[in-house]
Amino acid sequence: TIGGHSLLLMQLFQLYKTTFHLRSNCFSIVDLFQHPTIIDHARLIHQAIDITEQIDNYWSSLHLIQGKE
């Protein structure tokens, strides 16, 4: 069964995703259960932000000059 702490952690997970504009696949709620301290959460968020920036940079649109060869 889901207890009070689990529900709070699910709310916190959603808050992290919306506040930091994180993609759903960057980390999961399971990660929060496995790393329960605030410093662990900060590390997970930092890693997720780095992953999101790398993905966005990789898929950025090409300039017209870059597309010519």
Side-chain angles (χ1 to χ4, degrees), residues 1-2 4 14 25 31 36 41 45 47 53-56 58 64:
T1 63
I2 296 179
Q14 187 62 33
N25 58 352
D31 295 322
H41 290 192
I45 291 167
Q47 289 172 353
E53 287 177 356
Q54 288 173 6
I55 290 170
D56 289 343
Y58 180 77
L64 292 176

Side-chain angles (χ1 to χ4, degrees), residues 23 51-67:
R23 297 173 187 252
I51 289 169
T52 300
E53 287 177 356
Q54 288 173 6
I55 290 170
D56 289 343
N57 289 337
Y58 180 77
W59 288 106
S60 65
S61 61
L62 292 174
H63 295 283
L64 292 176
I65 295 172
Q66 291 174 308

Side-chain angles (χ1 to χ4, degrees), residues 18-58:
T18 57
T19 301
F20 298 105
H21 309 286
L22 302 175
R23 297 173 187 252
S24 298
N25 58 352
C26 288
F27 69 93
S28 71
I29 194 163
V30 174
D31 295 322
L32 297 183
F33 280 106
Q34 292 174 345
H35 307 282
T37 66
I38 294 297
I39 191 70
D40 290 335
H41 290 192
R43 288 181 182 133
L44 288 169
I45 291 167
H46 188 270
Q47 289 172 353
I49 289 171
D50 285 347
I51 289 169
T52 300
E53 287 177 356
Q54 288 173 6
I55 290 170
D56 289 343
N57 289 337
Y58 180 77

